[in-house]
Amino acid sequence: MIVLGIESTAHTFGVGVTKDKKILVNEKDTFTTKEGGMIPNEVREHHEKVKDKVLRRALRKAKVTIKDVDLISFSHAPGLAPALIVGRDFVETLAKKYNIPIIGVNHIVAHLEIGLATTKAKDPIFLFTSGANTQIIAHEGDYYRVFGEALSIAVGNALDKFGRNIGLGFPAGPKIELLAKEGKYVELPYKVKGMDVDFSGIVTKATQLYEKGVPKEDLCFSFQETCFAMLVEVTERALAHCEKKEVLLIGGVAANKRFSDMLDIMAKARKAKAYTVPFEYAGDQGAMIAYLGDVMYNSKNYKAPGVIDIDPRQRIDDIKTFWR
Ligand code: AMP
Ligand code: MG
């Protein structure tokens, strides 16, 4: 079965193609800025502008035509409504024109499942860190359960906000990672509350220190060390509580080598195993959407819903994992 996966929950418009759950191509175009942050309407315009081009490129590279596609999967939740609408309208038009069934999948579940599909992790604690979300998740009794999360802003968003304040543009995470290599430690607020973490204070403090002349490099280094240490701490607690022996780092921030190394150090110390999703599948992309669409659609428990629409605020702990 050939599945087309369309991703448009946030900054990235992605098109993936899978054949019998094997990824053929993973094409994308990401909204970026030189200075400011991500503005929802500008993101919508970006997706409108690139969608046909990205689809054509994906089909060409996969050596298939739209008529070969058996199923269209799209990320219908959660995300920025203006961005989600572009994806929904796009797949509805394609589905009608070529008479192809549609399935809507949850974007976060797609991050989790592509992590399982591309690593050896079987039943891990998921450390999911992206632009909009930061959650510590485990699968228990037919649901993905959230054991801890960021209380105010997600870690990716914290990196992007701080980056914007010091003139790095969007997305800032990769640039902060580079600058951090030249930095030394300065103290920043470390806020862990039980199983939750809070990143709002650290953005304010680091920005103030920058304005007082503390070097960018030192702040980038310390920002990473502090945020990642907080997340590793709560992940360790989740491992102990759930009695699991694996941890899997997923989402856009999983591209950070230092983060993945810190998780590895913690895991080794408690004889657990740390996995990180391959770089290509860390950030938002369409391959994970196509893959999950195939898995769900071909599960014997799948029932087609009457209406398929966007759901900007859907939480993963409300979704029964009938395909597992
Ligand atoms: P996602 O929403 O899953 O696509 O993830 C996007 C987020 O990942 C953005 O906040 C980026 O700044 C962040 N990100 C991407 N690459 C890196 C990196 N190398 N280090 C830290 N954060 C990163
Ligand atoms: Mg994402």
Side-chain angles (χ1 to χ4, degrees):
M1 167 178 261
I2 293 186
V3 185
L4 191 65
I6 308 288
E7 158 59 30
S8 80
T9 57
H11 43 71
T12 296
F13 191 87
V15 180
V17 182
T18 56
K19 183 175 183 189
D20 301 330
K21 304 190 183 74
K22 273 219 185 61
I23 297 165
L24 298 182
V25 298
N26 197 18
E27 290 298 310
K28 62 184 175 188
D29 195 308
T30 298
F31 172 85
T32 57
T33 72
K34 283 217 171 62
E35 269 175 6
M38 177 164 66
I39 296 163
N41 270 330
E42 289 179 9
V43 174
R44 176 181 55 78
E45 280 165 23
H46 166 268
H47 292 356
E48 287 289 359
K49 201 174 102 200
V50 303
K51 62 185 202 277
D52 294 306
K53 196 168 67 189
V54 182
L55 174 65
R56 274 200 305 275
R57 205 164 67 213
L59 292 174
R60 189 178 67 236
K61 287 194 180 171
K63 299 193 173 68
V64 296
T65 72
I66 188 77
K67 290 184 183 135
D68 300 322
V69 173
D70 301 299
L71 175 71
I72 300 176
S73 175
F74 81 110
S75 50
H76 78 124
L80 298 169
L84 285 166
I85 287 169
V86 180
R88 181 201 61 194
D89 291 352
F90 190 56
V91 300
E92 273 180 1
T93 310
L94 286 174
K96 239 188 227 137
K97 189 161 167 198
Y98 299 100
N99 195 23
I100 308 168
I102 304 184
I103 182 169
V105 307
N106 179 289
H107 171 92
I108 299 179
V109 174
H111 273 295
L112 304 186
E113 298 280 341
I114 203 70
L116 291 176
T118 56
T119 65
K120 292 194 174 119
K122 296 235 149 35
D123 181 24
I125 296 291
F126 296 88
L127 176 49
F128 172 47
T129 57
S130 72
N133 298 279
T134 297
Q135 291 175 325
I136 292 92
I137 300 166
H139 191 261
E140 305 254 324
D142 290 344
Y143 288 88
Y144 280 118
R145 297 190 194 274
V146 179
F147 284 86
E149 59 194 313
L151 293 173
S152 50
I153 53 173
V155 63
N157 190 221
L159 287 161
D160 293 334
K161 273 204 160 96
F162 171 61
R164 184 173 72 213
N165 294 348
I166 66 169
L168 297 182
F170 178 84
K175 294 172 192 158
I176 290 174
E177 181 172 19
L178 274 181
L179 288 165
K181 290 190 198 304
E182 312 294 324
K184 57 182 193 313
Y185 183 72
V186 291
E187 195 172 331
L188 292 172
Y190 184 101
K191 266 207 249 170
V192 172
K193 299 178 182 174
M195 286 300 293
D196 297 325
V197 288
D198 192 345
F199 298 115
S200 57
I202 190 173
V203 176
T204 314
K205 183 68 187 181
T207 307
Q208 282 166 355
L209 290 176
Y210 174 72
E211 283 158 2
K212 284 190 185 142
V214 177
K216 255 186 200 177
E217 291 78 5
D218 293 355
L219 291 167
C220 288
F221 173 75
S222 312
F223 202 100
Q224 284 196 170
E225 293 298 303
T226 309
C227 294
F228 299 163
M230 287 159 64
L231 288 165
V232 171
E233 182 192 324
V234 291
T235 303
E236 178 165 22
R237 216 171 285 134
L239 273 171
H241 175 77
C242 300
E243 296 180 344
K244 299 221 192 263
K245 282 288 172 199
E246 299 169 320
V247 41
L248 173 56
L249 181 59
I250 47 172
V253 187
N256 191 293
K257 180 72 174 51
R258 174 64 184 149
F259 193 13
S260 148
D261 287 348
M262 283 169 78
L263 205 61
D264 208 33
I265 293 165
M266 178 277 285
K268 281 210 175 85
R270 49 179 305 121
K271 299 195 168 50
K273 182 99 180 89
Y275 297 94
T276 298
V277 68
F279 181 79
E280 159 121 34
Y281 307 114
D284 293 352
Q285 22 76 35
M288 66 179 186
I289 305 301
Y291 171 78
L292 179 60
D294 192 341
V295 168
M296 288 172 66
Y297 191 81
N298 288 304
S299 151
K300 63 179 185 330
N301 299 320
Y302 177 69
K303 283 189 207 76
V307 191
I308 298 177
D309 205 354
I310 64 163
D311 190 349
R313 297 189 164 272
Q314 187 181 55
R315 282 188 59 101
I316 50 155
D317 33 14
D318 289 333
I319 301 165
K320 190 158 189 196
T321 55
F322 62 83
W323 59 89
R324 281 187 57 134

